[in-house]
Amino acid sequence: MKFYDALQLDPAILKRKIAACDEKKEKAYYWFAMSVRSVLIVAAAIIFISLLSSVFGTDNTPMGVVLFCMILGIRFVNFEYCVKDSLVTLLAVLAILVLAPSAAAVIPEVFLIPLHFAAFFALLYMTTQRPEMGNGGLYSFAYIYLTGNPVTGEALVRRIFLALVGYLICGAILFAKHRDQHTATRFHHVVRKFDLSTPIHLWQLRMALGVSLVMTAGQVFGVERFMWMGFACASLLSEYPYSGKVFTRFWQRIVGAIAGSLAFFVLYLILPESLHALMGPLGGLCLGFCTDYRYKTAMNCFGALMLGAGIYGIHGAVILRVVDTVLGVTFGLIFAALFHRVAAVRFLSRSIEE
């Protein structure tokens, strides 16, 4: 395998190849490819996000993060319908990501659930026809992250222009990589297939309703960094195939959050202050080697806590990360159980009868 091709592979695939190798030289080749891949992604992220932040303002750094993640994802995963319609829905997706979070920050609380539900469900329905490919996680992260970092006024205008730049980049990649795929499938064909008795649409509904409720609760009750609750809940509900059993991931998320927060706390105290800024990129580098959900959760704590420590202090950030995670997954666990009970009676049973 060419080295460039190896760099395109997911860590899970690279680790399977390593496990299947008999020669040490070949194992070292794939380990080296995984290492270079991780370094290149982190370096590209730093350069890309820093450049956009310098042009569109640091208050729009979160949008830069979202666009970088979209670029990584859209290279490999499309929307499962023709590129012409995909380009239109991509514009709609970015419009939602820009406008809905800002609207949620200023509208009356009574409208939060409808706004979050409509925006989140539309994102999932337009982008995620095959949840196993990861688009659901990508766009749920984007919405929750931007909802936790809204902007208004001049900053919102700059975010709109930044989104347009992102549209040109992502649209060009989408067209170049996927223009010959799903040519006979239009978006209206996807709309006509909507049926809540199917696992995919049931999964989309559960994700959208659960996340909209937990995000609204976080905003209404003034939970600090409520988006961390949203991440935890969405991670629990995003597991696919659809199932009412989310208890395993519930514990994995809690264990990962505690382990990652403690690891960050210890390193933060041990390392000199001049090296603290490197802890976020360190988490990103380590994430490039992770395939297990618990380890991914732990490494994701580094970037979040690096930002949180600057706002709440290291002790406050660590406590908040763990508490928000527990609140988020507990809500997700209860919601998933209730939703599955209702769905089993109203939708899944109807599907069996048919």
Side-chain angles (χ1 to χ4, degrees):
M1 176 182 292
K2 294 181 180 179
F3 190 67
Y4 177 80
D5 294 331
L7 292 177
Q8 309 306 308
L9 298 179
D10 185 87
I13 298 176
L14 288 170
K15 285 191 174 183
R16 286 199 294 269
K17 288 185 174 295
I18 291 171
C21 292
D22 295 324
E23 298 182 6
K24 291 184 178 180
K25 185 177 180 180
E26 192 174 2
K27 288 180 180 287
Y29 176 80
Y30 287 121
W31 276 115
F32 181 66
M34 195 185 306
S35 302
V36 173
R37 176 186 181 276
S38 183
V39 170
L40 288 176
I41 290 176
V42 172
I46 292 173
I47 294 171
F48 180 82
I49 296 167
S50 298
L51 177 61
L52 293 182
S53 298
S54 66
V55 176
F56 296 96
T58 55
D59 45 5
N60 279 315
T61 297
M63 192 68 196
V65 173
V66 166
L67 290 176
F68 182 78
C69 294
M70 287 178 62
I71 289 170
L72 290 181
I74 215 163
R75 293 171 60 223
F76 302 105
V77 184
N78 55 54
F79 298 158
E80 300 287 321
Y81 43 88
C82 70
V83 71
K84 179 182 177 180
D85 288 1
S86 295
L87 289 172
V88 175
T89 54
L90 176 62
L91 186 62
V93 164
L94 286 167
I96 291 172
L97 291 177
V98 170
L99 299 177
S102 295
V106 297
I107 64 173
E109 293 176 350
V110 68
F111 297 118
L112 284 175
I113 292 178
L115 173 65
H116 284 316
F117 176 78
F120 204 85
F121 185 81
L123 285 175
L124 292 178
Y125 201 77
M126 287 188 289
T127 65
T128 313
Q129 304 309 311
R130 293 179 62 195
E132 66 272 19
M133 300 303 291
N135 265 4
L138 168 60
Y139 291 98
S140 64
F141 160 78
Y143 183 79
I144 294 168
Y145 188 42
L146 292 175
T147 300
N149 294 278
V151 290
T152 57
E154 182 187 347
L156 177 58
V157 174
R158 285 188 271 110
R159 181 166 291 189
I160 292 172
F161 282 110
L162 174 54
L164 290 175
V165 171
Y167 175 74
L168 293 176
I169 298 173
C170 292
I173 296 172
L174 183 64
F175 182 82
K177 296 288 186 179
H178 307 290
R179 63 181 180 275
D180 297 324
Q181 300 180 37
H182 310 290
T183 55
T185 305
R186 302 293 303 275
F187 181 64
H188 65 81
H189 296 150
V190 175
V191 174
R192 290 175 182 174
K193 291 181 181 178
F194 182 75
D195 183 354
L196 283 177
S197 65
T198 62
I200 289 177
H201 297 135
L202 203 58
W203 174 88
Q204 291 172 339
L205 177 64
R206 186 179 73 171
M207 273 280 285
L209 184 57
V211 172
S212 64
L213 288 174
V214 78
M215 294 291 284
T216 299
Q219 289 180 263
V220 170
F221 292 106
V223 178
E224 293 289 341
R225 306 299 279 184
F226 65 89
M227 65 179 179
W228 288 350
M229 286 176 54
F231 290 145
C233 179
S235 178
L236 205 70
L237 300 179
S238 67
E239 192 170 14
Y240 190 82
Y242 169 85
S243 171
K245 300 177 181 178
V246 295
F247 200 70
T248 299
R249 183 164 281 203
F250 168 84
W251 283 114
Q252 288 178 336
R253 185 77 185 192
I254 292 177
V255 170
I258 293 175
S261 298
L262 289 177
F264 181 90
F265 181 76
V266 172
L267 285 175
Y268 193 92
L269 296 181
I270 292 175
L271 293 175
E273 188 175 349
S274 59
L275 297 180
H276 285 172
L278 298 178
M279 293 180 64
L282 174 63
L285 286 172
C286 294
L287 192 62
F289 294 89
C290 296
T291 55
D292 187 278
Y293 177 72
R294 291 166 297 179
Y295 299 135
K296 288 182 178 180
T297 299
M299 290 302 102
N300 277 325
C301 288
F302 275 56
L305 289 174
M306 191 66 255
L307 295 174
I311 303 172
Y312 306 102
I314 182 61
H315 295 85
V318 167
I319 292 173
L320 195 58
R321 180 70 175 184
V322 174
V323 170
D324 281 355
T325 297
V326 172
L327 289 174
V329 294
T330 300
F331 179 93
L333 183 70
I334 296 172
F335 173 81
L338 294 174
F339 183 90
H340 186 68
R341 177 169 294 185
V342 173
V345 173
R346 301 197 62 179
F347 303 123
L348 296 180
S349 59
R350 187 183 71 184
S351 177
I352 292 174
E353 290 174 1
E354 293 175 353

Short mmCIF file of all heavy atoms in Angstrom, two decimals, residues 297-321:
data_model
loop_
_atom_site.label_atom_id
_atom_site.label_comp_id
_atom_site.label_asym_id
_atom_site.label_seq_id
_atom_site.Cartn_x
_atom_site.Cartn_y
_atom_site.Cartn_z
N THR A 297 -13.39 9.46 24.27
CA THR A 297 -14.02 10.37 25.22
C THR A 297 -12.99 11.03 26.12
O THR A 297 -13.05 12.24 26.38
CB THR A 297 -15.04 9.60 26.08
OG1 THR A 297 -16.06 9.04 25.24
CG2 THR A 297 -15.69 10.51 27.10
N ALA A 298 -12.03 10.25 26.59
CA ALA A 298 -10.99 10.79 27.47
C ALA A 298 -10.15 11.83 26.76
O ALA A 298 -9.87 12.92 27.31
CB ALA A 298 -10.11 9.65 27.98
N MET A 299 -9.74 11.55 25.53
CA MET A 299 -8.89 12.49 24.80
C MET A 299 -9.63 13.76 24.39
O MET A 299 -9.04 14.83 24.30
CB MET A 299 -8.29 11.80 23.57
CG MET A 299 -7.25 10.73 23.90
SD MET A 299 -5.85 11.39 24.85
CE MET A 299 -6.27 10.82 26.52
N ASN A 300 -10.93 13.62 24.15
CA ASN A 300 -11.72 14.81 23.82
C ASN A 300 -11.80 15.79 24.97
O ASN A 300 -12.08 16.98 24.77
CB ASN A 300 -13.14 14.40 23.40
CG ASN A 300 -13.21 13.99 21.94
OD1 ASN A 300 -12.52 14.53 21.10
ND2 ASN A 300 -14.06 13.01 21.64
N CYS A 301 -11.56 15.30 26.18
CA CYS A 301 -11.58 16.18 27.35
C CYS A 301 -10.46 17.23 27.29
O CYS A 301 -10.61 18.33 27.85
CB CYS A 301 -11.44 15.37 28.63
SG CYS A 301 -12.90 14.39 29.06
N PHE A 302 -9.36 16.89 26.66
CA PHE A 302 -8.19 17.78 26.71
C PHE A 302 -8.48 19.13 26.07
O PHE A 302 -8.19 20.19 26.64
CB PHE A 302 -6.99 17.10 26.05
CG PHE A 302 -6.24 16.19 26.97
CD1 PHE A 302 -6.87 15.15 27.63
CD2 PHE A 302 -4.88 16.37 27.19
CE1 PHE A 302 -6.18 14.31 28.48
CE2 PHE A 302 -4.18 15.53 28.04
CZ PHE A 302 -4.83 14.50 28.70
N GLY A 303 -9.03 19.11 24.86
CA GLY A 303 -9.33 20.36 24.19
C GLY A 303 -10.39 21.16 24.92
O GLY A 303 -10.27 22.39 25.07
N ALA A 304 -11.43 20.46 25.39
CA ALA A 304 -12.51 21.14 26.11
C ALA A 304 -12.01 21.76 27.40
O ALA A 304 -12.34 22.90 27.73
CB ALA A 304 -13.64 20.14 26.39
N LEU A 305 -11.22 21.01 28.16
CA LEU A 305 -10.72 21.51 29.44
C LEU A 305 -9.67 22.60 29.27
O LEU A 305 -9.53 23.46 30.15
CB LEU A 305 -10.16 20.36 30.27
CG LEU A 305 -11.22 19.39 30.81
CD1 LEU A 305 -10.55 18.19 31.49
CD2 LEU A 305 -12.14 20.10 31.80
N MET A 306 -8.95 22.58 28.16
CA MET A 306 -7.98 23.64 27.91
C MET A 306 -8.69 24.99 27.81
O MET A 306 -8.23 26.00 28.37
CB MET A 306 -7.21 23.35 26.62
CG MET A 306 -6.00 24.23 26.39
SD MET A 306 -4.69 23.96 27.60
CE MET A 306 -4.82 25.41 28.63
N LEU A 307 -9.82 25.00 27.13
CA LEU A 307 -10.62 26.22 27.05
C LEU A 307 -11.32 26.52 28.36
O LEU A 307 -11.37 27.67 28.82
CB LEU A 307 -11.66 26.09 25.92
CG LEU A 307 -11.10 25.96 24.50
CD1 LEU A 307 -12.24 25.69 23.52
CD2 LEU A 307 -10.36 27.23 24.10
N GLY A 308 -11.86 25.48 28.99
CA GLY A 308 -12.59 25.66 30.24
C GLY A 308 -11.72 26.16 31.38
O GLY A 308 -12.17 26.96 32.21
N ALA A 309 -10.47 25.72 31.41
CA ALA A 309 -9.57 26.13 32.48
C ALA A 309 -9.30 27.63 32.45
O ALA A 309 -9.11 28.26 33.50
CB ALA A 309 -8.25 25.37 32.38
N GLY A 310 -9.31 28.20 31.26
CA GLY A 310 -9.09 29.64 31.14
C GLY A 310 -10.28 30.45 31.63
O GLY A 310 -10.14 31.64 31.96
N ILE A 311 -11.46 29.83 31.73
CA ILE A 311 -12.67 30.52 32.17
C ILE A 311 -12.98 30.25 33.63
O ILE A 311 -13.28 31.17 34.40
CB ILE A 311 -13.87 30.09 31.30
CG1 ILE A 311 -13.59 30.36 29.82
CG2 ILE A 311 -15.15 30.80 31.74
CD1 ILE A 311 -14.65 29.80 28.88
N TYR A 312 -12.88 28.97 34.03
CA TYR A 312 -13.31 28.57 35.37
C TYR A 312 -12.15 28.19 36.29
O TYR A 312 -12.38 27.89 37.46
CB TYR A 312 -14.27 27.38 35.28
CG TYR A 312 -15.44 27.62 34.36
CD1 TYR A 312 -15.47 27.08 33.07
CD2 TYR A 312 -16.52 28.39 34.77
CE1 TYR A 312 -16.54 27.30 32.22
CE2 TYR A 312 -17.61 28.61 33.92
CZ TYR A 312 -17.60 28.07 32.65
OH TYR A 312 -18.67 28.30 31.82
N GLY A 313 -10.94 28.18 35.76
CA GLY A 313 -9.83 27.65 36.54
C GLY A 313 -9.79 26.14 36.38
O GLY A 313 -10.79 25.52 36.03
N ILE A 314 -8.65 25.54 36.66
CA ILE A 314 -8.50 24.11 36.42
C ILE A 314 -9.44 23.27 37.26
O ILE A 314 -10.07 22.32 36.78
CB ILE A 314 -7.02 23.67 36.63
CG1 ILE A 314 -6.86 22.18 36.34
CG2 ILE A 314 -6.54 24.01 38.04
CD1 ILE A 314 -7.19 21.80 34.92
N HIS A 315 -9.60 23.61 38.56
CA HIS A 315 -10.47 22.83 39.42
C HIS A 315 -11.93 22.95 38.98
O HIS A 315 -12.64 21.94 38.86
CB HIS A 315 -10.33 23.28 40.88
CG HIS A 315 -9.00 23.02 41.48
ND1 HIS A 315 -7.94 23.91 41.33
CD2 HIS A 315 -8.53 21.98 42.22
CE1 HIS A 315 -6.88 23.42 41.95
NE2 HIS A 315 -7.20 22.25 42.50
N GLY A 316 -12.36 24.17 38.71
CA GLY A 316 -13.74 24.38 38.29
C GLY A 316 -14.05 23.72 36.96
O GLY A 316 -15.13 23.14 36.78
N ALA A 317 -13.10 23.77 36.02
CA ALA A 317 -13.32 23.18 34.70
C ALA A 317 -13.45 21.67 34.78
O ALA A 317 -14.34 21.07 34.14
CB ALA A 317 -12.18 23.56 33.76
N VAL A 318 -12.59 21.03 35.58
CA VAL A 318 -12.63 19.57 35.71
C VAL A 318 -13.94 19.13 36.35
O VAL A 318 -14.60 18.18 35.89
CB VAL A 318 -11.42 19.08 36.52
CG1 VAL A 318 -11.61 17.61 36.93
CG2 VAL A 318 -10.14 19.23 35.70
N ILE A 319 -14.33 19.80 37.44
CA ILE A 319 -15.59 19.44 38.12
C ILE A 319 -16.77 19.64 37.17
O ILE A 319 -17.66 18.78 37.07
CB ILE A 319 -15.77 20.30 39.38
CG1 ILE A 319 -14.70 19.91 40.42
CG2 ILE A 319 -17.17 20.11 39.97
CD1 ILE A 319 -14.68 20.82 41.64
N LEU A 320 -16.77 20.75 36.46
CA LEU A 320 -17.87 21.05 35.54
C LEU A 320 -17.95 20.03 34.41
O LEU A 320 -19.04 19.62 34.01
CB LEU A 320 -17.67 22.45 34.97
CG LEU A 320 -18.87 23.10 34.27
CD1 LEU A 320 -20.07 23.19 35.22
CD2 LEU A 320 -18.50 24.49 33.78
N ARG A 321 -16.79 19.62 33.89
CA ARG A 321 -16.78 18.63 32.81
C ARG A 321 -17.41 17.32 33.26
O ARG A 321 -18.23 16.74 32.55
CB ARG A 321 -15.34 18.37 32.36
CG ARG A 321 -15.19 17.34 31.24
CD ARG A 321 -15.72 17.87 29.92
NE ARG A 321 -15.49 16.94 28.82
CZ ARG A 321 -15.78 17.19 27.56
NH1 ARG A 321 -16.32 18.35 27.23
NH2 ARG A 321 -15.55 16.30 26.63
#
